[in-house]
Amino acid sequence: MTARAHHSPAASAFLHKIEPFFAGSEVTGGPLLIATIIALLFTNSPWSGGFERFWDTPLTIGFGAREVTHTLAEWIDHALLPLFFVIVGADVKREMVLGPLAHWRTAAFPLAGAIGGMLVPVALYLAVASGTPAAPGWGSVITTDTAFGLALIALFATRLPAGLRALMLAFAAVDDVGGLLVIAFAYSDTIDPRGVAAAVVGLGGIIGLRRLGWISTVPYVLLAVTVWGGVLESGIHATIAGVLIGLTVPVAPRLDQARFAERVQPRVDAFRRAHDAAERTDDAEEESQLRKRAEERLGYLHEMASATREASSRLIEVLTPWVNYVVLPLFALSNVRIHFSADLIDMIGSPLVLGVVAGLVVGKPLGFLGFTWLASRLGLAQRPDHVTWRMVIGVGALAGIGFTISLFIAGLAFGGGEMREAASLGVLVASLLAAGIGYAILRSCAEPRQRAEAPSEG
């Protein structure tokens, strides 16, 4: 007898509702949210000292006389977090080449919004915090948390136009690139030209192999590691390497069907001959050698078959589960350090916290809406099909969820201590408010379905 799990209608509805937060096929925010809650609990528990010392443990990686030392938390930021941005870069390139943003005016829409979504929040932050010790934290209001934003949009996936997700993704990608450039030039002490040169050589190699039609994956991986290592060595934060690598991933298959047939037919024949010969022979040693030869041919066929799939889709499919369930949760566990105390709560009214909340909750939607409306009026940009202005406001509100990179920049701006915790508190409060406002707006657009499809509202 097979056991079956039965859920009440209410439980089934709840599970269906939260499913987008744990989907394995797209970057989503469920595991990140759980890891954030765990980090907050540990940070405010009797075990907080040991918990934080663990993430601050130095780890040295050496090759010959060359050694690089970072804490575990820093290695997660430098070595794992770039994988998230590889997905973002590859995904946005696919949307701009094959998806709803393929037309240049449609692609210009999120670009205009991203520019406004960076300039207006910084202006609001500085209006509140300029001339105070909080002023260096202006970079924490620039970026958007892609994972949480996409997860909230996915709650209405069947009742909102496909262009809305592409809009959020493209906006967040440009927004993140802006944040990474801020990290590179505003929060980096020095830039080593040798590292920049190595990264440029690696990118040039990837592009060169693509033009030559190179099929094997190994050289691309080695060159991607070269790009990452060069950016890390340069002093620019390594997450920007992820975006650069993602943007080089082709949206077309590396091998078209005609070339596939031409290349694999001789290997198929060789595989069949080796397999048939192994079946006929009575010599155990000869049979073993023939089967090994057949397996080698089969491995080649698998490699060729994978090359006929769209490269960006294949890369995203491979990396997404690791990013969802390993990279982003580890980032939250190692970076979310908010010690709730009376002194910290008293700082809610400080220029630092107020500046972060104003920048993310007010500045993001205001900048996104204002700049996209202006670009549309000037004929420079066009809204994606079926996306209304109310939905644009909803996306702008979700852009105020500035979690992942905002926390990271807060750490760069203030190091450790009270100021970093106050900035993190501001990011947390602003992200909760922005998520609630964005959810409410998109819910009003998605119910009923016809309202999400009607273009008249814009």
Side-chain angles (χ1 to χ4, degrees), residues 21 143-156 160 164-165 168 171-172 175 360-361 364-365 368 391-403 430-443:
F21 282 87
T143 59
T144 293
D145 193 284
T146 312
F148 281 132
L150 292 179
L152 285 167
I153 288 178
L155 292 174
F156 310 103
L160 289 174
L164 195 66
R165 181 185 182 275
M168 178 69 188
F171 168 78
D175 196 66
L360 291 175
V361 179
K364 280 291 184 183
F368 186 72
M391 295 176 192
V392 171
I393 297 172
V395 170
L398 291 182
I401 307 174
F403 195 76
S431 297
L432 291 173
L433 289 172
I437 295 169
Y439 173 84
I441 294 173
L442 292 183
R443 190 172 187 272

mmCIF file of all heavy atoms in Angstrom, residues 21 143-156 160 164-165 168 171-172 175 360-361 364-365 368 391-403 430-443:
data_model
loop_
_atom_site.group_PDB
_atom_site.id
_atom_site.type_symbol
_atom_site.label_atom_id
_atom_site.label_comp_id
_atom_site.label_asym_id
_atom_site.label_seq_id
_atom_site.Cartn_x
_atom_site.Cartn_y
_atom_site.Cartn_z
ATOM 1 N N PHE A 21 8.779 30.927 -3.834
ATOM 2 C CA PHE A 21 9.937 31.283 -3.020
ATOM 3 C C PHE A 21 10.936 30.133 -2.909
ATOM 4 O O PHE A 21 12.035 30.322 -2.385
ATOM 5 C CB PHE A 21 9.493 31.708 -1.618
ATOM 6 C CG PHE A 21 8.937 33.102 -1.561
ATOM 7 C CD1 PHE A 21 7.603 33.333 -1.802
ATOM 8 C CD2 PHE A 21 9.759 34.180 -1.297
ATOM 9 C CE1 PHE A 21 7.087 34.621 -1.767
ATOM 10 C CE2 PHE A 21 9.260 35.470 -1.264
ATOM 11 C CZ PHE A 21 7.921 35.687 -1.503
ATOM 12 N N THR A 143 21.374 49.519 -4.903
ATOM 13 C CA THR A 143 21.066 48.242 -5.532
ATOM 14 C C THR A 143 19.735 47.650 -5.092
ATOM 15 O O THR A 143 19.170 48.002 -4.065
ATOM 16 C CB THR A 143 22.173 47.215 -5.236
ATOM 17 O OG1 THR A 143 22.283 47.058 -3.818
ATOM 18 C CG2 THR A 143 23.497 47.676 -5.790
ATOM 19 N N THR A 144 19.267 46.702 -5.905
ATOM 20 C CA THR A 144 18.015 45.986 -5.678
ATOM 21 C C THR A 144 18.320 44.511 -5.461
ATOM 22 O O THR A 144 19.217 43.960 -6.096
ATOM 23 C CB THR A 144 17.097 46.140 -6.909
ATOM 24 O OG1 THR A 144 16.700 47.494 -7.014
ATOM 25 C CG2 THR A 144 15.867 45.262 -6.795
ATOM 26 N N ASP A 145 17.567 43.871 -4.563
ATOM 27 C CA ASP A 145 17.746 42.431 -4.358
ATOM 28 C C ASP A 145 16.916 41.666 -5.383
ATOM 29 O O ASP A 145 15.688 41.596 -5.291
ATOM 30 C CB ASP A 145 17.338 42.026 -2.940
ATOM 31 C CG ASP A 145 17.805 40.621 -2.620
ATOM 32 O OD1 ASP A 145 17.174 39.675 -3.122
ATOM 33 O OD2 ASP A 145 18.801 40.468 -1.909
ATOM 34 N N THR A 146 17.586 41.119 -6.383
ATOM 35 C CA THR A 146 16.902 40.453 -7.486
ATOM 36 C C THR A 146 16.104 39.244 -7.030
ATOM 37 O O THR A 146 14.977 39.021 -7.488
ATOM 38 C CB THR A 146 17.939 40.015 -8.543
ATOM 39 O OG1 THR A 146 18.820 41.095 -8.823
ATOM 40 C CG2 THR A 146 17.256 39.571 -9.815
ATOM 41 N N ALA A 147 16.668 38.444 -6.120
ATOM 42 C CA ALA A 147 16.022 37.197 -5.714
ATOM 43 C C ALA A 147 14.661 37.435 -5.081
ATOM 44 O O ALA A 147 13.661 36.818 -5.456
ATOM 45 C CB ALA A 147 16.940 36.436 -4.741
ATOM 46 N N PHE A 148 14.588 38.349 -4.121
ATOM 47 C CA PHE A 148 13.310 38.617 -3.461
ATOM 48 C C PHE A 148 12.314 39.256 -4.423
ATOM 49 O O PHE A 148 11.123 38.923 -4.420
ATOM 50 C CB PHE A 148 13.527 39.540 -2.254
ATOM 51 C CG PHE A 148 14.053 38.831 -1.038
ATOM 52 C CD1 PHE A 148 15.126 39.346 -0.332
ATOM 53 C CD2 PHE A 148 13.476 37.651 -0.594
ATOM 54 C CE1 PHE A 148 15.618 38.698 0.791
ATOM 55 C CE2 PHE A 148 13.970 36.996 0.523
ATOM 56 C CZ PHE A 148 15.034 37.517 1.220
ATOM 57 N N GLY A 149 12.763 40.183 -5.242
ATOM 58 C CA GLY A 149 11.866 40.843 -6.178
ATOM 59 C C GLY A 149 11.245 39.877 -7.163
ATOM 60 O O GLY A 149 10.020 39.894 -7.393
ATOM 61 N N LEU A 150 12.062 38.998 -7.755
ATOM 62 C CA LEU A 150 11.541 38.024 -8.711
ATOM 63 C C LEU A 150 10.613 37.019 -8.042
ATOM 64 O O LEU A 150 9.624 36.579 -8.640
ATOM 65 C CB LEU A 150 12.702 37.296 -9.392
ATOM 66 C CG LEU A 150 13.568 38.136 -10.332
ATOM 67 C CD1 LEU A 150 14.693 37.276 -10.906
ATOM 68 C CD2 LEU A 150 12.735 38.720 -11.462
ATOM 69 N N ALA A 151 10.911 36.648 -6.794
ATOM 70 C CA ALA A 151 10.051 35.702 -6.079
ATOM 71 C C ALA A 151 8.671 36.300 -5.839
ATOM 72 O O ALA A 151 7.646 35.611 -5.981
ATOM 73 C CB ALA A 151 10.698 35.307 -4.750
ATOM 74 N N LEU A 152 8.589 37.578 -5.491
ATOM 75 C CA LEU A 152 7.289 38.211 -5.269
ATOM 76 C C LEU A 152 6.507 38.346 -6.574
ATOM 77 O O LEU A 152 5.287 38.155 -6.595
ATOM 78 C CB LEU A 152 7.480 39.580 -4.616
ATOM 79 C CG LEU A 152 7.852 39.528 -3.129
ATOM 80 C CD1 LEU A 152 8.326 40.887 -2.633
ATOM 81 C CD2 LEU A 152 6.657 39.057 -2.297
ATOM 82 N N ILE A 153 7.184 38.657 -7.663
ATOM 83 C CA ILE A 153 6.506 38.706 -8.959
ATOM 84 C C ILE A 153 5.999 37.324 -9.348
ATOM 85 O O ILE A 153 4.911 37.168 -9.913
ATOM 86 C CB ILE A 153 7.451 39.275 -10.036
ATOM 87 C CG1 ILE A 153 7.642 40.778 -9.816
ATOM 88 C CG2 ILE A 153 6.911 39.020 -11.439
ATOM 89 C CD1 ILE A 153 8.594 41.430 -10.792
ATOM 90 N N ALA A 154 6.771 36.277 -9.011
ATOM 91 C CA ALA A 154 6.372 34.912 -9.356
ATOM 92 C C ALA A 154 5.095 34.481 -8.641
ATOM 93 O O ALA A 154 4.420 33.553 -9.087
ATOM 94 C CB ALA A 154 7.507 33.940 -9.023
ATOM 95 N N LEU A 155 4.736 35.149 -7.542
ATOM 96 C CA LEU A 155 3.484 34.825 -6.867
ATOM 97 C C LEU A 155 2.281 35.042 -7.778
ATOM 98 O O LEU A 155 1.239 34.415 -7.614
ATOM 99 C CB LEU A 155 3.318 35.685 -5.606
ATOM 100 C CG LEU A 155 4.285 35.426 -4.458
ATOM 101 C CD1 LEU A 155 4.075 36.448 -3.354
ATOM 102 C CD2 LEU A 155 4.102 34.014 -3.905
ATOM 103 N N PHE A 156 2.443 35.938 -8.754
ATOM 104 C CA PHE A 156 1.350 36.256 -9.673
ATOM 105 C C PHE A 156 1.711 35.860 -11.103
ATOM 106 O O PHE A 156 1.236 36.469 -12.054
ATOM 107 C CB PHE A 156 1.042 37.759 -9.625
ATOM 108 C CG PHE A 156 0.863 38.299 -8.241
ATOM 109 C CD1 PHE A 156 1.869 39.030 -7.640
ATOM 110 C CD2 PHE A 156 -0.306 38.069 -7.530
ATOM 111 C CE1 PHE A 156 1.711 39.540 -6.363
ATOM 112 C CE2 PHE A 156 -0.472 38.564 -6.256
ATOM 113 C CZ PHE A 156 0.540 39.301 -5.661
ATOM 114 N N LEU A 160 0.024 37.949 -14.433
ATOM 115 C CA LEU A 160 0.718 39.162 -14.849
ATOM 116 C C LEU A 160 1.449 38.876 -16.155
ATOM 117 O O LEU A 160 1.859 37.736 -16.414
ATOM 118 C CB LEU A 160 1.723 39.604 -13.779
ATOM 119 C CG LEU A 160 1.143 40.177 -12.485
ATOM 120 C CD1 LEU A 160 2.257 40.421 -11.474
ATOM 121 C CD2 LEU A 160 0.385 41.476 -12.742
ATOM 122 N N LEU A 164 6.660 41.660 -17.431
ATOM 123 C CA LEU A 164 6.906 42.279 -16.135
ATOM 124 C C LEU A 164 8.115 41.664 -15.454
ATOM 125 O O LEU A 164 8.941 42.370 -14.863
ATOM 126 C CB LEU A 164 5.671 42.144 -15.236
ATOM 127 C CG LEU A 164 5.665 43.037 -14.009
ATOM 128 C CD1 LEU A 164 5.568 44.495 -14.426
ATOM 129 C CD2 LEU A 164 4.518 42.690 -13.081
ATOM 130 N N ARG A 165 8.245 40.339 -15.532
ATOM 131 C CA ARG A 165 9.421 39.688 -14.947
ATOM 132 C C ARG A 165 10.691 40.119 -15.679
ATOM 133 O O ARG A 165 11.718 40.399 -15.063
ATOM 134 C CB ARG A 165 9.286 38.169 -15.003
ATOM 135 C CG ARG A 165 10.492 37.454 -14.385
ATOM 136 C CD ARG A 165 10.419 35.948 -14.544
ATOM 137 N NE ARG A 165 11.562 35.322 -13.897
ATOM 138 C CZ ARG A 165 12.751 35.155 -14.460
ATOM 139 N NH1 ARG A 165 12.960 35.591 -15.712
ATOM 140 N NH2 ARG A 165 13.747 34.581 -13.803
ATOM 141 N N MET A 168 11.622 43.568 -14.478
ATOM 142 C CA MET A 168 12.251 43.546 -13.169
ATOM 143 C C MET A 168 13.682 43.009 -13.264
ATOM 144 O O MET A 168 14.609 43.538 -12.645
ATOM 145 C CB MET A 168 11.425 42.670 -12.213
ATOM 146 C CG MET A 168 12.011 42.537 -10.816
ATOM 147 S SD MET A 168 11.913 44.100 -9.911
ATOM 148 C CE MET A 168 12.878 43.712 -8.456
ATOM 149 N N PHE A 171 15.941 45.621 -15.045
ATOM 150 C CA PHE A 171 16.164 46.742 -14.131
ATOM 151 C C PHE A 171 17.156 46.361 -13.038
ATOM 152 O O PHE A 171 18.107 47.094 -12.757
ATOM 153 C CB PHE A 171 14.837 47.178 -13.511
ATOM 154 C CG PHE A 171 15.000 48.117 -12.356
ATOM 155 C CD1 PHE A 171 15.284 49.453 -12.564
ATOM 156 C CD2 PHE A 171 14.892 47.663 -11.050
ATOM 157 C CE1 PHE A 171 15.455 50.327 -11.499
ATOM 158 C CE2 PHE A 171 15.051 48.525 -9.978
ATOM 159 C CZ PHE A 171 15.334 49.866 -10.201
ATOM 160 N N ALA A 172 16.927 45.203 -12.424
ATOM 161 C CA ALA A 172 17.799 44.767 -11.326
ATOM 162 C C ALA A 172 19.219 44.518 -11.814
ATOM 163 O O ALA A 172 20.192 44.792 -11.104
ATOM 164 C CB ALA A 172 17.230 43.507 -10.676
ATOM 165 N N ASP A 175 20.846 47.825 -12.357
ATOM 166 C CA ASP A 175 20.964 48.357 -11.008
ATOM 167 C C ASP A 175 22.151 47.720 -10.276
ATOM 168 O O ASP A 175 22.948 48.407 -9.626
ATOM 169 C CB ASP A 175 19.654 48.046 -10.278
ATOM 170 C CG ASP A 175 19.479 48.863 -9.019
ATOM 171 O OD1 ASP A 175 19.344 50.085 -9.140
ATOM 172 O OD2 ASP A 175 19.468 48.271 -7.935
ATOM 173 N N LEU A 360 15.477 53.837 -0.251
ATOM 174 C CA LEU A 360 14.966 52.599 -0.824
ATOM 175 C C LEU A 360 13.454 52.611 -0.991
ATOM 176 O O LEU A 360 12.931 52.218 -2.043
ATOM 177 C CB LEU A 360 15.386 51.411 0.052
ATOM 178 C CG LEU A 360 16.880 51.069 0.048
ATOM 179 C CD1 LEU A 360 17.181 49.958 1.050
ATOM 180 C CD2 LEU A 360 17.354 50.662 -1.341
ATOM 181 N N VAL A 361 12.728 53.045 0.016
ATOM 182 C CA VAL A 361 11.263 52.948 -0.027
ATOM 183 C C VAL A 361 10.645 54.048 -0.876
ATOM 184 O O VAL A 361 9.657 53.822 -1.587
ATOM 185 C CB VAL A 361 10.686 52.978 1.406
ATOM 186 C CG1 VAL A 361 9.154 52.899 1.375
ATOM 187 C CG2 VAL A 361 11.245 51.822 2.230
ATOM 188 N N LYS A 364 13.515 54.697 -4.749
ATOM 189 C CA LYS A 364 13.503 53.681 -5.803
ATOM 190 C C LYS A 364 12.261 53.791 -6.689
ATOM 191 O O LYS A 364 12.380 53.932 -7.917
ATOM 192 C CB LYS A 364 13.618 52.280 -5.196
ATOM 193 C CG LYS A 364 15.024 51.886 -4.807
ATOM 194 C CD LYS A 364 15.908 51.686 -6.025
ATOM 195 C CE LYS A 364 17.290 51.185 -5.632
ATOM 196 N NZ LYS A 364 18.175 51.050 -6.808
ATOM 197 N N PRO A 365 11.041 53.704 -6.136
ATOM 198 C CA PRO A 365 9.870 53.807 -7.021
ATOM 199 C C PRO A 365 9.750 55.174 -7.691
ATOM 200 O O PRO A 365 9.348 55.268 -8.854
ATOM 201 C CB PRO A 365 8.680 53.542 -6.084
ATOM 202 C CG PRO A 365 9.193 53.760 -4.710
ATOM 203 C CD PRO A 365 10.654 53.429 -4.746
ATOM 204 N N PHE A 368 12.402 55.240 -10.508
ATOM 205 C CA PHE A 368 12.055 54.292 -11.565
ATOM 206 C C PHE A 368 10.885 54.817 -12.387
ATOM 207 O O PHE A 368 10.925 54.849 -13.629
ATOM 208 C CB PHE A 368 11.719 52.939 -10.941
ATOM 209 C CG PHE A 368 11.482 51.853 -11.949
ATOM 210 C CD1 PHE A 368 12.530 51.319 -12.673
ATOM 211 C CD2 PHE A 368 10.211 51.355 -12.182
ATOM 212 C CE1 PHE A 368 12.328 50.315 -13.611
ATOM 213 C CE2 PHE A 368 9.993 50.349 -13.106
ATOM 214 C CZ PHE A 368 11.054 49.834 -13.827
ATOM 215 N N MET A 391 1.701 48.714 -12.819
ATOM 216 C CA MET A 391 2.680 47.641 -12.642
ATOM 217 C C MET A 391 4.098 48.200 -12.559
ATOM 218 O O MET A 391 4.939 47.678 -11.816
ATOM 219 C CB MET A 391 2.581 46.649 -13.804
ATOM 220 C CG MET A 391 1.272 45.897 -13.877
ATOM 221 S SD MET A 391 1.222 44.840 -15.333
ATOM 222 C CE MET A 391 -0.512 44.404 -15.357
ATOM 223 N N VAL A 392 4.355 49.257 -13.329
ATOM 224 C CA VAL A 392 5.665 49.897 -13.269
ATOM 225 C C VAL A 392 5.925 50.427 -11.861
ATOM 226 O O VAL A 392 7.027 50.271 -11.306
ATOM 227 C CB VAL A 392 5.756 51.039 -14.306
ATOM 228 C CG1 VAL A 392 7.031 51.851 -14.107
ATOM 229 C CG2 VAL A 392 5.711 50.479 -15.722
ATOM 230 N N ILE A 393 4.889 51.035 -11.255
ATOM 231 C CA ILE A 393 5.043 51.516 -9.876
ATOM 232 C C ILE A 393 5.303 50.335 -8.939
ATOM 233 O O ILE A 393 6.127 50.426 -8.018
ATOM 234 C CB ILE A 393 3.777 52.279 -9.438
ATOM 235 C CG1 ILE A 393 3.587 53.525 -10.308
ATOM 236 C CG2 ILE A 393 3.886 52.689 -7.969
ATOM 237 C CD1 ILE A 393 2.274 54.242 -10.075
ATOM 238 N N GLY A 394 4.613 49.203 -9.176
ATOM 239 C CA GLY A 394 4.832 48.017 -8.346
ATOM 240 C C GLY A 394 6.252 47.496 -8.442
ATOM 241 O O GLY A 394 6.876 47.152 -7.429
ATOM 242 N N VAL A 395 6.790 47.460 -9.662
ATOM 243 C CA VAL A 395 8.179 47.034 -9.839
ATOM 244 C C VAL A 395 9.132 48.012 -9.150
ATOM 245 O O VAL A 395 10.099 47.612 -8.494
ATOM 246 C CB VAL A 395 8.517 46.907 -11.335
ATOM 247 C CG1 VAL A 395 10.021 46.710 -11.536
ATOM 248 C CG2 VAL A 395 7.758 45.747 -11.956
ATOM 249 N N GLY A 396 8.824 49.311 -9.276
ATOM 250 C CA GLY A 396 9.659 50.305 -8.606
ATOM 251 C C GLY A 396 9.648 50.131 -7.102
ATOM 252 O O GLY A 396 10.680 50.298 -6.431
ATOM 253 N N ALA A 397 8.466 49.785 -6.546
ATOM 254 C CA ALA A 397 8.386 49.546 -5.104
ATOM 255 C C ALA A 397 9.205 48.323 -4.708
ATOM 256 O O ALA A 397 9.946 48.346 -3.712
ATOM 257 C CB ALA A 397 6.928 49.369 -4.681
ATOM 258 N N LEU A 398 9.098 47.242 -5.491
ATOM 259 C CA LEU A 398 9.889 46.039 -5.192
ATOM 260 C C LEU A 398 11.383 46.320 -5.298
ATOM 261 O O LEU A 398 12.199 45.670 -4.630
ATOM 262 C CB LEU A 398 9.516 44.907 -6.150
ATOM 263 C CG LEU A 398 8.125 44.285 -5.999
ATOM 264 C CD1 LEU A 398 7.950 43.145 -6.992
ATOM 265 C CD2 LEU A 398 7.905 43.782 -4.577
ATOM 266 N N ALA A 399 11.758 47.281 -6.133
ATOM 267 C CA ALA A 399 13.172 47.635 -6.267
ATOM 268 C C ALA A 399 13.742 48.187 -4.968
ATOM 269 O O ALA A 399 14.954 48.228 -4.790
ATOM 270 C CB ALA A 399 13.352 48.658 -7.386
ATOM 271 N N GLY A 400 12.863 48.603 -4.052
ATOM 272 C CA GLY A 400 13.329 49.069 -2.753
ATOM 273 C C GLY A 400 13.779 47.963 -1.818
ATOM 274 O O GLY A 400 14.270 48.232 -0.719
ATOM 275 N N ILE A 401 13.605 46.706 -2.253
ATOM 276 C CA ILE A 401 14.149 45.587 -1.466
ATOM 277 C C ILE A 401 15.644 45.533 -1.766
ATOM 278 O O ILE A 401 16.095 44.893 -2.709
ATOM 279 C CB ILE A 401 13.481 44.253 -1.834
ATOM 280 C CG1 ILE A 401 11.956 44.363 -1.736
ATOM 281 C CG2 ILE A 401 13.979 43.132 -0.926
ATOM 282 C CD1 ILE A 401 11.221 43.129 -2.223
ATOM 283 N N GLY A 402 16.431 46.236 -0.981
ATOM 284 C CA GLY A 402 17.854 46.350 -1.281
ATOM 285 C C GLY A 402 18.677 45.488 -0.351
ATOM 286 O O GLY A 402 19.516 46.008 0.377
ATOM 287 N N PHE A 403 18.453 44.195 -0.354
ATOM 288 C CA PHE A 403 18.990 43.361 0.721
ATOM 289 C C PHE A 403 20.441 42.957 0.498
ATOM 290 O O PHE A 403 21.347 43.449 1.169
ATOM 291 C CB PHE A 403 18.096 42.129 0.891
ATOM 292 C CG PHE A 403 18.326 41.392 2.170
ATOM 293 C CD1 PHE A 403 17.835 41.892 3.368
ATOM 294 C CD2 PHE A 403 19.032 40.219 2.189
ATOM 295 C CE1 PHE A 403 18.055 41.224 4.557
ATOM 296 C CE2 PHE A 403 19.251 39.536 3.369
ATOM 297 C CZ PHE A 403 18.765 40.039 4.553
ATOM 298 N N ALA A 430 13.599 48.875 5.481
ATOM 299 C CA ALA A 430 13.210 49.350 4.155
ATOM 300 C C ALA A 430 12.779 48.194 3.251
ATOM 301 O O ALA A 430 11.794 48.301 2.500
ATOM 302 C CB ALA A 430 14.367 50.106 3.514
ATOM 303 N N SER A 431 13.492 47.076 3.335
ATOM 304 C CA SER A 431 13.161 45.928 2.489
ATOM 305 C C SER A 431 11.801 45.351 2.839
ATOM 306 O O SER A 431 11.017 44.977 1.955
ATOM 307 C CB SER A 431 14.247 44.853 2.617
ATOM 308 O OG SER A 431 15.495 45.343 2.151
ATOM 309 N N LEU A 432 11.484 45.283 4.127
ATOM 310 C CA LEU A 432 10.168 44.793 4.541
ATOM 311 C C LEU A 432 9.061 45.725 4.059
ATOM 312 O O LEU A 432 8.024 45.274 3.549
ATOM 313 C CB LEU A 432 10.116 44.651 6.066
ATOM 314 C CG LEU A 432 10.981 43.529 6.668
ATOM 315 C CD1 LEU A 432 10.979 43.612 8.193
ATOM 316 C CD2 LEU A 432 10.468 42.161 6.209
ATOM 317 N N LEU A 433 9.266 47.033 4.220
ATOM 318 C CA LEU A 433 8.263 47.994 3.762
ATOM 319 C C LEU A 433 8.096 47.932 2.239
ATOM 320 O O LEU A 433 6.963 47.921 1.730
ATOM 321 C CB LEU A 433 8.674 49.411 4.182
ATOM 322 C CG LEU A 433 8.581 49.745 5.669
ATOM 323 C CD1 LEU A 433 9.196 51.115 5.943
ATOM 324 C CD2 LEU A 433 7.132 49.713 6.137
ATOM 325 N N ALA A 434 9.212 47.900 1.521
ATOM 326 C CA ALA A 434 9.148 47.867 0.060
ATOM 327 C C ALA A 434 8.474 46.593 -0.434
ATOM 328 O O ALA A 434 7.671 46.626 -1.385
ATOM 329 C CB ALA A 434 10.559 47.979 -0.521
ATOM 330 N N ALA A 435 8.769 45.466 0.202
ATOM 331 C CA ALA A 435 8.147 44.204 -0.200
ATOM 332 C C ALA A 435 6.638 44.261 0.009
ATOM 333 O O ALA A 435 5.857 43.825 -0.845
ATOM 334 C CB ALA A 435 8.755 43.046 0.585
ATOM 335 N N GLY A 436 6.210 44.786 1.151
ATOM 336 C CA GLY A 436 4.777 44.884 1.419
ATOM 337 C C GLY A 436 4.068 45.803 0.448
ATOM 338 O O GLY A 436 2.984 45.472 -0.074
ATOM 339 N N ILE A 437 4.659 46.964 0.158
ATOM 340 C CA ILE A 437 4.036 47.917 -0.769
ATOM 341 C C ILE A 437 3.994 47.335 -2.186
ATOM 342 O O ILE A 437 2.965 47.397 -2.872
ATOM 343 C CB ILE A 437 4.809 49.253 -0.747
ATOM 344 C CG1 ILE A 437 4.683 49.912 0.626
ATOM 345 C CG2 ILE A 437 4.292 50.185 -1.842
ATOM 346 C CD1 ILE A 437 5.616 51.092 0.822
ATOM 347 N N GLY A 438 5.111 46.773 -2.632
ATOM 348 C CA GLY A 438 5.152 46.193 -3.973
ATOM 349 C C GLY A 438 4.177 45.049 -4.132
ATOM 350 O O GLY A 438 3.503 44.931 -5.163
ATOM 351 N N TYR A 439 4.097 44.187 -3.114
ATOM 352 C CA TYR A 439 3.161 43.062 -3.159
ATOM 353 C C TYR A 439 1.724 43.568 -3.283
ATOM 354 O O TYR A 439 0.945 43.063 -4.092
ATOM 355 C CB TYR A 439 3.318 42.202 -1.904
ATOM 356 C CG TYR A 439 2.280 41.108 -1.787
ATOM 357 C CD1 TYR A 439 2.455 39.890 -2.436
ATOM 358 C CD2 TYR A 439 1.120 41.302 -1.043
ATOM 359 C CE1 TYR A 439 1.498 38.889 -2.336
ATOM 360 C CE2 TYR A 439 0.158 40.304 -0.939
ATOM 361 C CZ TYR A 439 0.355 39.099 -1.588
ATOM 362 O OH TYR A 439 -0.597 38.123 -1.496
ATOM 363 N N ALA A 440 1.368 44.580 -2.489
ATOM 364 C CA ALA A 440 0.000 45.108 -2.512
ATOM 365 C C ALA A 440 -0.339 45.697 -3.882
ATOM 366 O O ALA A 440 -1.445 45.482 -4.407
ATOM 367 C CB ALA A 440 -0.165 46.158 -1.416
ATOM 368 N N ILE A 441 0.594 46.412 -4.481
ATOM 369 C CA ILE A 441 0.331 47.028 -5.788
ATOM 370 C C ILE A 441 0.161 45.956 -6.861
ATOM 371 O O ILE A 441 -0.786 46.001 -7.663
ATOM 372 C CB ILE A 441 1.459 48.002 -6.154
ATOM 373 C CG1 ILE A 441 1.467 49.193 -5.190
ATOM 374 C CG2 ILE A 441 1.299 48.496 -7.591
ATOM 375 C CD1 ILE A 441 2.652 50.122 -5.364
ATOM 376 N N LEU A 442 1.062 44.984 -6.893
ATOM 377 C CA LEU A 442 0.970 43.943 -7.919
ATOM 378 C C LEU A 442 -0.266 43.074 -7.708
ATOM 379 O O LEU A 442 -0.870 42.595 -8.672
ATOM 380 C CB LEU A 442 2.234 43.088 -7.923
ATOM 381 C CG LEU A 442 3.509 43.794 -8.386
ATOM 382 C CD1 LEU A 442 4.682 42.825 -8.413
ATOM 383 C CD2 LEU A 442 3.323 44.420 -9.761
ATOM 384 N N ARG A 443 -0.653 42.873 -6.463
ATOM 385 C CA ARG A 443 -1.870 42.104 -6.185
ATOM 386 C C ARG A 443 -3.094 42.822 -6.750
ATOM 387 O O ARG A 443 -4.005 42.198 -7.300
ATOM 388 C CB ARG A 443 -2.024 41.886 -4.680
ATOM 389 C CG ARG A 443 -3.111 40.905 -4.291
ATOM 390 C CD ARG A 443 -3.046 40.615 -2.798
ATOM 391 N NE ARG A 443 -3.974 39.565 -2.439
ATOM 392 C CZ ARG A 443 -5.244 39.751 -2.113
ATOM 393 N NH1 ARG A 443 -5.737 40.983 -2.101
ATOM 394 N NH2 ARG A 443 -6.028 38.735 -1.811
#
